[in-house]
Amino acid sequence: MSPNGSDRSSRRPMRRKLPQVLTAGLILATATGCTYKDFPRLGMPTPVTEEAPRILSLWQGSWAAALITGILVWGLILWSIIFHRRSRTKVEVPPQTRYNMPIEALYTVVPLIIVSVLFYFTARDESKLLSLSEKPAHTVNVVGYQWSWGFNYIENVDGNPATGNEIPPELDAIPNRFTEQFPKGAEGVYDAGVPGQRNPQTGNPGPTLWLPKGEKVRFILTSRDVIHSFWVVPFLMKQDVIPGHTNSFEVTPNQEGTFLGKCAELCGVDHSRMLFNVKVVSPERYQKHLEELAKKGQSGYIPSGIAQTDPARNAETNKL
């Protein structure tokens, strides 16, 4: 058999398999748990805060840029395969293009433009998401520790502005730029979780952080031991909880319900047990929950983190 006949016979099985491969790809692309309403989010959960749509928009824009780039690259590959195949041109080695300055400039400049555009939108949205208001409605100190979470609600629970104005030693790890903005009379309440704890309504593992709907909440993140990461899945936002360093961000929940949270940083042998829940309720129910914690004797605060020297605690500017 001639070499050409051998080539044709070797290509036939591949041609027969092509419809099967395309069918399998179509099934993998369509046989998922997503509906047409879920598709625009491209795998992201439904946002439940006022800030989360900004993150979702950045995610969608990144996918759009990647898809456009992919279509261009796949198109050029297919064009080369179809119109420059050896069986069509009968040329063993096609003409080679070397030192083509326009082409070299194109594949140098285009990636730089793509990266610059992505960097701009990422920096713009990150700056907006991490900006802090002068007076948030609520402040919660989230404490990460092996292997669970604690929540210090820095609130004036009893309504008396004369109580709780001294910063307790349990909150010494929090820099002055945050403590200066604590509400007056914030004697506070706390909830400290353990790995075996479960939400009584849903049965989901971990302690439950309560938040009020429609009111801005500032999270002050501190760690007692190693680096953790505070991630509430439908907030579309997570941030590291670092010993010796204080991170913070703000959200405004806009949907009631109980949502899942977890540690997103490998922090040790029981990292997988560092789960928690976030329960968003009405402001009235939130206030009642704080009073319930006080009645159970959970007034004051749990230790927020590793003690820091004054220069380390206040190394950053006091201006938020």
Side-chain angles (χ1 to χ4, degrees), residues 115-160:
V115 171
S116 299
V117 171
L118 290 174
F119 178 83
Y120 166 76
F121 285 106
T122 301
R124 182 200 66 179
D125 290 344
E126 181 183 11
S127 176
K128 185 68 175 178
L129 290 165
L130 296 181
S131 63
L132 301 178
S133 58
E134 292 187 2
K135 285 291 182 182
H138 305 278
T139 300
V140 179
N141 172 215
V142 177
V143 184
Y145 50 86
Q146 297 171 320
W147 310 100
S148 193
W149 300 88
F151 309 112
N152 286 322
Y153 298 92
I154 304 172
E155 301 272 6
N156 182 7
V157 181
D158 63 5
N160 184 355

Side-chain angles (χ1 to χ4, degrees), residues 40-245:
R41 297 198 307 274
L42 299 170
M44 282 284 195
T46 303
V48 298
T49 70
E50 292 182 4
E51 295 77 12
R54 179 180 291 272
I55 303 172
L56 179 60
S57 177
L58 182 63
W59 171 257
Q60 292 167 325
S62 300
W63 267 99
L67 184 59
I68 293 170
T69 304
I71 290 173
L72 175 62
V73 173
W74 299 328
L76 291 173
I77 291 173
L78 291 174
W79 178 75
S80 301
I81 291 172
I82 294 171
F83 294 103
H84 293 276
R85 63 188 187 275
R86 190 175 65 178
S87 63
R88 180 175 181 272
T89 61
K90 308 299 183 182
V91 176
E92 186 70 26
V93 179
Q96 304 297 300
T97 301
R98 298 182 177 89
Y99 310 113
N100 187 303
M101 291 305 295
I103 292 178
E104 293 185 12
L106 180 68
Y107 64 62
T108 301
V109 172
V110 169
L112 288 175
I113 293 174
I114 294 172
V115 171
S116 299
V117 171
L118 290 174
F119 178 83
Y120 166 76
F121 285 106
T122 301
R124 182 200 66 179
D125 290 344
E126 181 183 11
S127 176
K128 185 68 175 178
L129 290 165
L130 296 181
S131 63
L132 301 178
S133 58
E134 292 187 2
K135 285 291 182 182
H138 305 278
T139 300
V140 179
N141 172 215
V142 177
V143 184
Y145 50 86
Q146 297 171 320
W147 310 100
S148 193
W149 300 88
F151 309 112
N152 286 322
Y153 298 92
I154 304 172
E155 301 272 6
N156 182 7
V157 181
D158 63 5
N160 184 355
T163 61
N165 285 316
E166 295 293 329
I167 304 300
E170 290 83 2
L171 302 183
D172 274 348
I174 300 178
N176 291 349
R177 65 183 187 278
F178 296 115
T179 60
E180 289 170 354
Q181 296 191 331
F182 286 174
K184 291 185 177 181
E187 67 280 351
V189 290
Y190 69 88
D191 193 3
V194 295
Q197 190 174 345
R198 289 187 175 271
N199 181 280
Q201 283 80 36
T202 64
N204 294 328
T208 300
L209 167 65
W210 289 58
L211 299 176
K213 177 185 175 183
E215 298 183 354
K216 189 175 290 293
V217 180
R218 175 180 296 175
F219 296 115
I220 299 175
L221 311 177
T222 55
S223 171
R224 292 185 191 171
D225 36 55
V226 299
I227 298 178
H228 304 282
S229 186
F230 180 69
W231 181 25
V232 183
V233 178
F235 284 10
L236 312 188
M237 174 85 175
K238 60 183 176 182
Q239 198 170 50
D240 281 352
V241 185
I242 304 173
H245 176 78

